[in-house]
Amino acid sequence: MQILGTLRNRINDLLANKIEPVEKPRSLYEPIEYVMSMGGKRMRPTLCLMACELFGNNVKDALNLALAIEYFHNFTLVHDDVMDAANLRRGQPTMHQKYSLSTAILSGDMMMIKAYEYLAKIKPKYLPEILPLFNQTAREVCEGQQYDMDYEAVNSISLQEYLRMIELKTAVLLAASMAMGAMVCDASSENVYNLYEFGRNIGIAFQLQDDILDTYGNAATFGKRVGGDILRNKKTILLVTALELAKDNLATQLHTHLQLPITTQKEEEEKIAAVKDIYQQLGIQKLAQARLDEYYKRAFEYLAAITISKDKKQPLIDYVNTLANRRE
Amino acid sequence: MQILGTLRNRINDLLANKIEPVEKPRSLYEPIEYVMSMGGKRMRPTLCLMACELFGNNVKDALNLALAIEYFHNFTLVHDDVMDAANLRRGQPTMHQKYSLSTAILSGDMMMIKAYEYLAKIKPKYLPEILPLFNQTAREVCEGQQYDMDYEAVNSISLQEYLRMIELKTAVLLAASMAMGAMVCDASSENVYNLYEFGRNIGIAFQLQDDILDTYGNAATFGKRVGGDILRNKKTILLVTALELAKDNLATQLHTHLQLPITTQKEEEEKIAAVKDIYQQLGIQKLAQARLDEYYKRAFEYLAAITISKDKKQPLIDYVNTLANRRE
């Protein structure tokens, strides 16, 4: 784990692009350095490196994969922020806000290309199995973003549709980060599969937890306004479950609140309270929590099936638990 | 060359995505099919397949590369059209115009990913040298687009800056198309280099020719309004050369015309005539034509240096000459 600490610093240095010679034109590359220096948990690169440490010590290739993944992830954030018209990310202006729409498009594109450049640096023998997995994951992340946008425009989606959307949009990249870290350390295909499934289930669980916290989090520590998802009618595990379960009068009430125009602060608070009241009558929080627990449980079953000693798995277990608890 | 005809139909079928099962969500993939069905000369895939035929018969890999290149090229068009606020492409609405900004961004991104998916299909042994060349080319194309946008905002650029910009924005992809087609047919690195340089010089020459035709083309056959570049103060070989050569009174006149606001059709015609008059006093058309001829000459010197029989090169020579003449 000491290695990991050092590597994470190295990742941050590389991502902040503290390299010579400086890349030109600056108008293309400076915005990339801006975004990559914003920080963030670096969860995906960390998981990639930890997966590598489970099976071997091909740190050089895992580091290149970690960088590829982090560039790709941040590329999606830059373009998603344009599509979602988001002005802030991690408390700082988004790329299109700070620079321009054209910058966000083109420097964003360049970030995806940089991801593939890091990918191309791994040992040639791993490329034929890594590249297709990376491509498939990239495709799925785009599909997830498309479903997310499509679902915004409809009144109601099924629970199954919702779970598939968050799987594509967020879980598969976590899964692939770990699978690829293991692949360059010659893990067996069964172990790679189990690690992928661990990541996929953890990824879905993380998103469900975010959904629950947005409505039931501690206002003092949450960082954002509790109830924000309710105000924006955001499709979450809570709303989607409620839409499936609400019948008759409750269904009418819920749809009324979803359609009611909101202007004042007082109306906002009333909407949050009313929707939470409907959730409570339907027992939504518990149902969502039960589903979340199920994904965690399944994740750790896949981890347990991986044929290495429990000792070696402990750092990964600790890290995932830290991430899970930090979200509370 | 019969093979080539068949292959080009196959490319068009594949690009129009006449495949089963239909890819979903349709909101992501249908816009891609729209753009890829618009047609176009398919110059890059054709050059890639012709390069393959020069050296061997690994048509399967060359076909995948051809598709990768055409998806990448069209991805850049979709995103460039957003940045340039262009409403029409090949006489049809651009993607952001027909669908939305978000569609152009996300379906555009997916087109780049599809490019890498086709790339991943080539024989594994070629990947370690093809992927870095593809990445480098993609990076350079983005840099070219950035320079193009940056140069729009300044009054004057040097000839050297202009030539480098068009090299990056258009020539390197032509060059790489041919180089990659040759690489999967086991051409020697010297032959690959010479073919790359052939493509690079041809690519620059094509752009110079477009520049010249925009001002001196035949209005009856040109398809666009002759003089359009002059009206938009577009940096072309003509304007850039004129800015370098014009002194004293002519320089003042040229800068005046560049800054004069234009509103009426009459003013437009006057501006075109006045700038052409300055060009004539400086002998710009001849200078530009001489430079174009130089690039063609150099291109064919590189082609001559390739160690295969002249017979085998003839189809490529014919094709490039057809492209050159079609532009007149």
Side-chain angles (χ1 to χ4, degrees):
Chain A
M1 283 302 283
Q2 218 169 353
I3 295 171
L4 194 67
T6 315
L7 280 176
R8 286 170 75 185
N9 288 338
R10 175 117 179 89
I11 285 179
N12 279 322
D13 284 354
L14 287 165
L15 290 173
N17 216 21
K18 293 172 182 162
I19 52 166
E20 296 289 346
V22 167
E23 292 174 297
K24 287 181 185 172
R26 296 303 298 150
S27 45
L28 179 64
Y29 293 107
E30 195 272 325
I32 298 178
E33 294 162 20
Y34 166 73
V35 160
M36 299 308 291
S37 304
M38 273 185 185
K41 290 192 290 289
R42 309 295 190 205
M43 181 168 61
R44 292 155 197 81
T46 305
L47 288 172
C48 175
L49 291 168
M50 294 189 92
C52 162
E53 288 203 331
L54 285 181
F55 296 101
N57 58 2
N58 183 6
V59 174
K60 195 163 168 251
D61 284 350
L63 190 59
N64 282 319
L65 288 174
L67 291 165
I69 290 159
E70 191 66 4
Y71 268 107
F72 179 81
H73 173 60
N74 280 272
F75 143 75
T76 65
L77 299 183
V78 167
H79 279 193
D80 285 5
D81 283 342
V82 176
M83 293 181 252
D84 303 342
N87 295 331
L88 288 176
R89 162 83 56 188
R90 292 170 191 145
Q92 292 178 264
T94 49
M95 200 194 276
H96 66 99
Q97 187 69 15
K98 185 174 164 79
Y99 302 91
S100 68
L101 170 63
S102 294
T103 302
I105 293 176
L106 192 62
S107 295
D109 291 341
M110 188 59 224
M111 288 164 76
M112 193 195 320
I113 294 164
K114 270 177 169 277
Y116 281 101
E117 286 183 341
Y118 279 109
L119 210 65
K121 288 183 182 181
I122 64 170
K123 276 203 199 92
K125 69 169 174 169
Y126 296 117
L127 260 188
E129 56 173 353
I130 292 281
L131 183 58
L133 176 57
F134 193 91
N135 286 339
Q136 178 200 312
T137 309
R139 172 189 277 261
E140 289 175 341
V141 170
C142 285
E143 291 176 354
Q145 168 67 5
Q146 185 68 54
Y147 280 119
D148 199 9
M149 293 194 296
D150 289 351
Y151 292 166
E152 265 182 36
V154 298
N155 285 331
S156 143
I157 58 167
S158 72
L159 181 62
Q160 197 191 353
E161 286 172 321
Y162 178 70
L163 291 171
R164 177 66 178 151
M165 185 271 283
I166 63 172
E167 178 185 350
L168 291 168
K169 188 169 171 171
T170 72
V172 295
L173 188 56
L174 257 66
S177 300
M178 282 194 266
M180 292 193 287
M183 282 156 82
V184 293
C185 289
D186 303 309
S188 71
S189 59
E190 204 169 343
N191 280 336
V192 168
Y193 169 80
N194 284 322
L195 199 56
Y196 184 93
E197 288 298 316
F198 171 69
R200 195 174 64 84
N201 283 283
I202 287 290
I204 296 172
F206 282 175
Q207 184 57 53
L208 297 184
Q209 199 162 20
D210 283 347
D211 285 1
I212 295 171
L213 286 175
D214 195 275
T215 296
Y216 298 105
N218 182 337
T221 58
F222 183 54
K224 289 188 288 186
R225 179 179 184 180
V226 172
D229 285 351
I230 291 177
L231 286 181
R232 291 177 294 121
N233 292 345
K234 188 162 181 273
K235 304 284 187 306
T236 63
I237 183 72
L238 305 173
L239 178 56
V240 167
T241 310
L243 285 165
E244 289 219 333
L245 295 183
K247 297 275 174 269
D248 306 327
N249 190 28
L250 267 188
T252 311
Q253 277 181 46
L254 185 54
H255 281 288
T256 304
H257 284 293
L258 290 177
Q259 279 149 32
L260 217 62
I262 297 280
T263 48
T264 68
Q265 172 97 25
K266 184 161 168 284
E267 285 168 340
E268 290 184 353
E269 293 308 325
E270 281 169 4
K271 176 172 178 172
I272 294 173
V275 172
K276 281 179 79 167
D277 183 56
I278 296 169
Y279 285 174
Q280 199 178 346
Q281 291 181 58
L282 294 166
I284 297 296
Q285 188 183 357
K286 273 190 190 147
L287 286 171
Q289 185 65 45
R291 195 166 284 276
L292 185 165
D293 293 340
E294 213 177 280
Y295 278 103
Y296 268 125
K297 185 165 164 276
R298 206 177 305 158
F300 283 99
E301 283 166 8
Y302 281 111
L303 187 63
I306 293 169
T307 56
I308 51 167
S309 73
K310 204 159 174 296
D311 271 13
K312 287 206 105 181
K313 293 175 193 171
Q314 201 53 47
L316 181 58
I317 295 169
D318 292 344
Y319 180 66
V320 167
N321 284 334
T322 310
L323 286 174
N325 294 328
R326 197 188 287 174
R327 286 159 180 264
E328 273 168 19
Chain B
M1 283 304 284
Q2 219 169 350
I3 295 171
L4 194 66
T6 315
L7 279 175
R8 285 171 75 185
N9 288 338
R10 174 118 178 91
I11 284 179
N12 279 322
D13 283 354
L14 285 164
L15 291 173
N17 216 22
K18 294 173 181 163
I19 51 167
E20 298 287 345
V22 167
E23 292 174 298
K24 288 181 185 171
R26 296 303 297 151
S27 46
L28 179 65
Y29 292 108
E30 195 273 323
I32 298 178
E33 294 161 21
Y34 167 72
V35 161
M36 299 308 291
S37 304
M38 273 186 185
K41 289 190 291 288
R42 310 295 191 205
M43 181 168 62
R44 293 154 197 82
T46 304
L47 288 172
C48 175
L49 291 168
M50 294 190 91
C52 162
E53 289 203 330
L54 284 181
F55 297 101
N57 58 1
N58 183 6
V59 175
K60 194 163 168 248
D61 284 350
L63 190 59
N64 283 319
L65 288 174
L67 292 165
I69 289 159
E70 191 66 6
Y71 268 107
F72 179 81
H73 173 59
N74 279 272
F75 143 74
T76 66
L77 299 183
V78 168
H79 279 192
D80 285 4
D81 283 342
V82 176
M83 293 182 250
D84 303 341
N87 295 332
L88 288 175
R89 163 83 56 189
R90 293 171 189 143
Q92 291 178 263
T94 50
M95 200 194 275
H96 66 98
Q97 188 70 14
K98 187 175 165 77
Y99 302 91
S100 67
L101 171 64
S102 293
T103 302
I105 293 176
L106 192 63
S107 295
D109 291 342
M110 188 59 223
M111 288 164 77
M112 193 196 319
I113 295 165
K114 270 177 168 276
Y116 282 101
E117 286 183 341
Y118 279 109
L119 212 63
K121 289 184 184 180
I122 64 169
K123 277 204 199 89
K125 69 169 175 168
Y126 297 118
L127 259 188
E129 57 174 352
I130 292 282
L131 183 59
L133 176 58
F134 193 91
N135 287 339
Q136 179 200 310
T137 308
R139 171 190 277 261
E140 288 175 342
V141 171
C142 286
E143 290 177 354
Q145 167 68 4
Q146 185 68 53
Y147 280 118
D148 198 10
M149 292 195 295
D150 289 351
Y151 292 165
E152 266 182 35
V154 298
N155 285 331
S156 144
I157 58 167
S158 71
L159 181 62
Q160 197 191 352
E161 285 172 322
Y162 177 71
L163 291 171
R164 176 67 178 152
M165 184 272 282
I166 62 172
E167 178 185 350
L168 292 168
K169 188 168 171 173
T170 71
V172 296
L173 188 56
L174 258 67
S177 300
M178 282 194 267
M180 292 192 287
M183 283 157 81
V184 294
C185 290
D186 302 311
S188 71
S189 60
E190 203 168 345
N191 280 337
V192 169
Y193 169 80
N194 283 322
L195 199 56
Y196 183 93
E197 287 300 314
F198 171 70
R200 194 174 65 82
N201 283 283
I202 287 290
I204 296 172
F206 282 175
Q207 183 58 53
L208 298 184
Q209 199 163 21
D210 282 348
D211 286 0
I212 294 171
L213 286 175
D214 195 274
T215 296
Y216 298 105
N218 183 338
T221 58
F222 183 54
K224 288 188 288 187
R225 178 178 183 180
V226 173
D229 286 350
I230 291 178
L231 285 180
R232 291 177 293 122
N233 291 345
K234 189 163 181 269
K235 304 285 185 307
T236 62
I237 183 71
L238 305 172
L239 178 57
V240 167
T241 309
L243 285 165
E244 289 219 332
L245 295 182
K247 297 275 173 268
D248 307 325
N249 190 28
L250 268 187
T252 312
Q253 277 181 46
L254 185 55
H255 282 287
T256 303
H257 284 293
L258 291 177
Q259 279 149 33
L260 217 62
I262 298 281
T263 47
T264 67
Q265 172 97 22
K266 185 160 166 284
E267 285 169 340
E268 289 184 353
E269 293 307 326
E270 281 169 2
K271 177 172 177 172
I272 293 173
V275 172
K276 280 178 81 166
D277 184 55
I278 296 169
Y279 286 173
Q280 199 179 346
Q281 291 182 58
L282 293 166
I284 297 297
Q285 188 183 358
K286 273 190 189 148
L287 286 171
Q289 186 65 46
R291 196 166 284 276
L292 184 164
D293 293 341
E294 214 177 279
Y295 279 102
Y296 269 126
K297 186 166 162 275
R298 207 176 305 158
F300 283 98
E301 283 166 9
Y302 281 111
L303 187 63
I306 293 170
T307 56
I308 51 168
S309 73
K310 203 159 176 298
D311 271 13
K312 287 208 105 181
K313 292 175 192 170
Q314 201 54 47
L316 181 58
I317 294 170
D318 293 343
Y319 179 66
V320 168
N321 283 334
T322 311
L323 286 173
N325 294 330
R326 198 188 289 173
R327 290 161 176 263
E328 273 166 21

